[in-house]
Amino acid sequence: MTAEEPPSKENDAHVPPPPCPHRGRSRGDPPRFKPDSNVTRDAQHNLPWQKWALKKTDDPRGAVAVVNRAKDRCLDEDDDLISPYHLVIAPCGPERKEQLWYIEPVLPEGADAGMDTASTFRLRHRADPESCLTALKEDVWPHTARKVELIDCDTDAENDHNTWRFGNKTLGLGQTAPTAPGVLDIVLQQAAQRCAENPETSTCEFVALETPKAYQAAGGCVAGQALYNQSPDRDAQYYISWAHMTGTQFSFGRTVGLSIEFLSSEFSLNYTWLQEKTKTEQVQVPVPPKQFGWVEISPVLRETIGYGKIDLDGHKWTVPGHNVSYAKNGTNGVDTYLVPQTSDTPPHSEHCD
């Protein structure tokens, strides 16, 4: 999924594509933009070459490419041997880590982890995760403020600006438009992939702040198969079997009007009431002639409100959200509702996942 709007700096710096030849451009490709080999900032807004997209890749750690939409080329390191380390756009190469980026949410100081969702992000370099895409406020030799570059993510220099917005902008009075759809999804997918790849150095945990009482799912879903009695005059006794449902569904980002549905075993939970083990159940269903028979089930569910606590190789961030999990039968006195059904038409309810 792509973020359809260009990333822009909090100080309204914009990043147009390189307007001149660089190492990735063929000799026959004439320069269309300004005669500068590096990606630069520009005071003008919303020009075609200032629009960017996040593009998913096959990287096992979930890193994405940042693609200039006008040129269909990727943000890339210029391979400078000494600082400053500038950026260019180059033909996208799926194997080149220098074109890959992690998107890291940044909350303001004093933010509430359980309530506040980040509206600014760092772009952390996949090839060198300690370095982030950075714009300078003013020239500081040998750095030129007009050129964006890679600088230590943990810089505390007031001149270094390394938090970016994706598809949103400041509206005034401390308000901002929502982050572009898909950005938070990319952030969470990256986290899950990195936690799965190396659980010793990266952890994805859901921290509970509030756990309301369990409840029975509204309506019912069809468990197992629906069977048909072909006999013209005799009842049939069918035994319908199914695997009991387990799992958790997460939703994140509720304070910015987004609800990212996210299923992943990488967000660890440890509650005594969770239905953790899959088990096979069976119910006998008497089915009249020329009718269908099936079982509808309304499982016990329980919601937990809190936030995702992410630690990726020592880089930490949070995102508020909640999860809904299958709970054990009898949790808070709530039981699974199980009903054999028959009809001369097939069931209309959805099948249980």
Side-chain angles (χ1 to χ4, degrees), residues 55-290:
K55 182 179 179 180
K56 289 186 177 181
T57 70
D58 294 329
D59 180 57
R61 308 196 85 193
V64 296
V66 180
V67 182
N68 183 271
R69 294 171 63 183
K71 294 287 284 183
D72 195 29
R73 293 191 174 189
C74 289
L75 189 64
D76 197 336
E77 187 179 351
D78 199 19
D79 293 331
D80 297 304
L81 297 179
I82 59 174
S83 177
Y85 303 106
H86 294 122
L87 283 302
V88 296
I89 56 171
C92 298
E95 304 300 324
R96 183 168 168 79
K97 292 183 179 179
E98 288 79 5
Q99 292 184 357
L100 300 180
W101 304 84
Y102 299 131
I103 312 300
E104 181 179 283
V106 179
L107 285 172
E109 187 175 351
D112 185 338
M115 291 296 297
D116 298 330
T117 300
S119 60
T120 60
F121 302 82
R122 289 193 186 95
L123 282 83
R124 195 177 284 271
H125 204 211
R126 170 71 162 89
D128 177 14
E130 301 306 315
S131 298
C132 287
L133 180 66
T134 306
L136 305 183
K137 184 177 181 180
E138 298 176 349
D139 292 350
V140 178
W141 190 89
H143 304 270
T144 303
R146 186 167 174 267
K147 300 177 181 180
V148 297
E149 56 184 279
L150 289 171
I151 292 179
D152 190 331
C153 298
D154 294 329
T155 177
D156 58 2
E158 293 184 1
N159 198 49
D160 299 341
H161 294 254
N162 64 6
T163 55
W164 303 77
R165 299 187 186 279
F166 291 91
N168 57 10
K169 60 183 180 180
T170 301
L171 301 177
L173 300 177
Q175 300 295 314
T176 59
T179 298
V183 175
L184 190 56
D185 185 43
I186 289 173
V187 167
L188 293 168
Q189 291 290 349
Q190 285 184 346
Q193 287 181 241
R194 294 176 68 180
C195 289
E197 183 192 55
N198 197 343
E200 294 183 359
T201 62
S202 297
T203 57
C204 299
E205 177 186 2
F206 189 84
V207 178
L209 298 177
E210 182 182 349
T211 305
K213 289 186 176 182
Y215 60 94
Q216 192 179 84
C221 58
V222 177
Q225 294 181 319
L227 302 177
Y228 182 68
N229 181 6
Q230 300 186 59
S231 172
D233 53 11
R234 301 178 64 178
D235 288 355
Q237 299 292 326
Y238 288 137
Y239 288 88
I240 297 177
S241 301
W242 69 93
H244 198 285
M245 296 164 289
T246 64
T248 294
Q249 177 170 288
F250 291 93
S251 296
F252 291 104
R254 51 196 171 88
T255 58
V256 292
L258 299 176
S259 181
I260 303 301
E261 302 301 335
F262 190 75
L263 297 170
S264 176
S265 60
E266 308 313 328
F267 281 78
S268 58
L269 296 168
N270 184 23
Y271 306 132
T272 58
W273 48 265
L274 278 180
Q275 176 64 50
E276 295 177 320
K277 296 181 180 179
T278 301
K279 61 180 180 179
T280 300
E281 297 193 48
Q282 187 178 71
V283 169
Q284 183 179 5
V285 182
V287 183
K290 298 297 184 180

